[in-house]
Amino acid sequence: MKDPANAQASAIKLAELTQEIEELENHRQSILQRLDGVRLLLQNAGNRTTKLRASVDLLSEHLTELAFAEVIKLEDEIRKIGLAINKNDRDASLISFETESFEESMNDAEEDFERLAQFMIEGKPRFTRGH
């Protein structure tokens, strides 16, 4: 039948294989635990990245809205300044026109005064050229 030495060698071999299988199973369990840990770390990092991206998007949107509001304020301010400049130009033109009219009136009054003075001094009217 079976040789007892052979049976003992087979039993030893079987015990060694069983021990190697248990070690391999322990290594497999250890690797699975490490993989689960790495998966959890990656998942947490992904969650943080998603939150960070959402925060950056909100911040970017907020800054864009602020910048747009400032641009609208500046455009309104520029429009108001433009209107004020246009009004000042009209006022300056009107003042210039009124100044010229006043100067002409003053010149006419001066001529009239000279004629009146001449008339009073000489007793005869003096006619201006061109009138």
Side-chain angles (χ1 to χ4, degrees), residues 30-49:
S30 175
I31 289 172
L32 286 176
Q33 287 176 349
R34 288 171 58 191
L35 281 174
D36 281 344
V38 169
R39 182 187 57 79
L40 246 163
L41 287 174
L42 286 173
Q43 187 176 16
N44 289 337
N47 289 341
R48 285 192 304 269
T49 301

Side-chain angles (χ1 to χ4, degrees), residues 47-94:
N47 289 341
R48 285 192 304 269
T49 301
T50 301
K51 288 178 185 177
L52 187 59
R53 282 185 182 177
S55 295
V56 168
D57 285 346
L58 285 174
L59 181 61
S60 175
E61 186 177 317
H62 179 66
L63 291 176
T64 301
E65 288 173 0
L66 287 177
F68 189 68
E70 285 300 315
V71 166
I72 288 173
K73 286 180 185 176
L74 288 174
E75 287 175 343
D76 188 49
E77 188 75 22
I78 289 169
R79 184 184 56 77
K80 287 178 182 176
I81 289 171
L83 292 174
I85 288 172
N86 288 341
K87 184 182 180 311
N88 288 342
D89 284 348
R90 284 191 305 267
D91 290 348
S93 295
L94 182 61

Side-chain angles (χ1 to χ4, degrees), residues 7-45:
Q8 187 178 7
S10 292
I12 292 174
K13 193 70 167 165
L14 184 61
E16 287 175 357
L17 286 174
T18 302
Q19 186 178 359
E20 283 184 35
I21 289 173
E22 285 176 12
E23 285 178 18
L24 288 172
E25 181 62 27
N26 288 339
H27 286 306
R28 186 181 77 78
Q29 286 297 328
S30 175
I31 289 172
L32 286 176
Q33 287 176 349
R34 288 171 58 191
L35 281 174
D36 281 344
V38 169
R39 182 187 57 79
L40 246 163
L41 287 174
L42 286 173
Q43 187 176 16
N44 289 337

Side-chain angles (χ1 to χ4, degrees), residues 105-129 131:
S105 297
M106 287 298 292
N107 289 339
D108 289 346
E110 202 172 296
E111 288 176 9
D112 290 344
F113 180 73
E114 285 178 17
R115 270 187 297 200
L116 183 61
Q118 186 71 25
F119 178 72
M120 289 176 75
I121 292 173
E122 296 177 6
K124 58 183 175 178
R126 189 180 115 202
F127 295 104
T128 60
R129 290 175 243 162
H131 287 297

